[in-house]
Amino acid sequence: MIPIKTLSLALALTFAAPLAALAQKLPLGDISAYLNELQTARGEFTQINDDGSISTGTIYIKRPGKVRFEYNPPEEALVVAGSNTVVIYDNKSNQPPETYPLSRTPLSIILARQVDLGRANMATGHSYDGTATIVTAQDPENPQYGNIQLKFTANPVELRQWVINDGNGSQTTVVLGDLARGGNLPNSLFDVGSPGSVNR
């Protein structure tokens, strides 16, 4: 017969385990607050493209509305978002740069002036995988533009990865290195009409 004390301890541990996991899941309000406090940041990234190819580079973020991806060689690409526009430059292509309204990309959700993941129908998924909180979000008014799946670790809250599922069915994963937050990033970095040199 199992002693009462042992049984009680076993039951306590059984119930404590899921509660501990639950405690690690970051609330949407905490994640929204983190994103709203993220004004400028810079770091390395690894991008896994829809075709399985991998690219690396440096990302610059300046909220609201600005981001710049500088790709390392052998890539000759640059992606700049600013002035409510996303421009994709590819020096290997003879075609002019591709241009999209920022509002039509899921990235606009985290670059918004005020992020509120608790807004009705914005967060379509909110889970914890044992190491990170995963939030899937979309523009409630334009779900046809796709969604972004964000991965955050806690203590302190840090954005580690996102997966963009665009409206055309393609998927792009960006894994972030440690972001250096704060500091001044000149607006010229995000000038969509004059992108400057790659890897400056």
Side-chain angles (χ1 to χ4, degrees):
M1 184 173 177
I2 301 173
I4 295 296
K5 187 180 288 186
T6 305
L7 183 60
S8 298
L9 181 62
L11 287 172
L13 290 173
T14 300
F15 286 107
L19 287 174
L22 188 64
Q24 292 297 315
K25 180 174 150 182
L26 294 165
L28 293 177
D30 289 5
I31 294 173
S32 297
Y34 163 82
L35 291 170
N36 287 323
E37 290 168 6
L38 182 67
Q39 297 301 308
T40 59
R42 171 182 176 168
E44 304 304 307
F45 73 89
T46 299
Q47 179 173 308
I48 304 164
N49 304 303
D50 192 52
D51 61 2
S53 61
I54 295 176
S55 309
T56 61
T58 304
I59 183 173
Y60 303 85
I61 300 171
K62 188 172 186 178
R63 299 187 59 260
K66 300 180 180 70
V67 68
R68 177 185 177 103
F69 297 87
E70 291 186 354
Y71 291 86
N72 294 328
E75 299 291 329
E76 294 183 34
L78 175 68
V79 177
V80 181
S83 303
N84 300 312
T85 303
V86 178
V87 182
I88 302 172
Y89 298 89
D90 185 356
N91 291 340
K92 291 182 180 178
S93 172
N94 294 323
Q95 301 299 315
E98 297 179 43
T99 304
Y100 305 94
L102 177 60
S103 61
R104 294 194 179 188
T105 72
L107 205 54
S108 66
I109 293 169
I110 61 172
L111 293 177
R113 184 172 299 278
Q114 190 66 29
V115 178
D116 180 9
L117 294 171
R119 182 178 162 198
N121 300 319
M122 174 164 277
T124 59
H126 183 204
S127 61
Y128 180 71
D129 68 359
T131 58
T133 299
I134 301 168
V135 177
T136 303
Q138 65 180 12
D139 180 348
E141 296 171 6
N142 295 287
Q144 71 273 18
Y145 296 151
N147 63 52
I148 185 168
Q149 187 182 76
L150 303 158
K151 183 174 282 192
F152 298 87
T153 52
N155 302 317
V157 180
E158 292 286 351
L159 175 60
R160 297 297 185 182
Q161 173 183 305
W162 66 65
V163 180
I164 290 181
N165 300 288
D166 69 20
N168 298 319
S170 66
Q171 185 178 84
T172 304
T173 300
V174 171
V175 180
L176 298 171
D178 290 334
L179 288 176
R181 298 174 61 180
N184 181 46
L185 295 178
N187 286 332
S188 58
L189 274 178
F190 311 97
D191 187 342
V192 294
S194 178
S197 60
V198 176
N199 294 312
R200 61 168 63 187

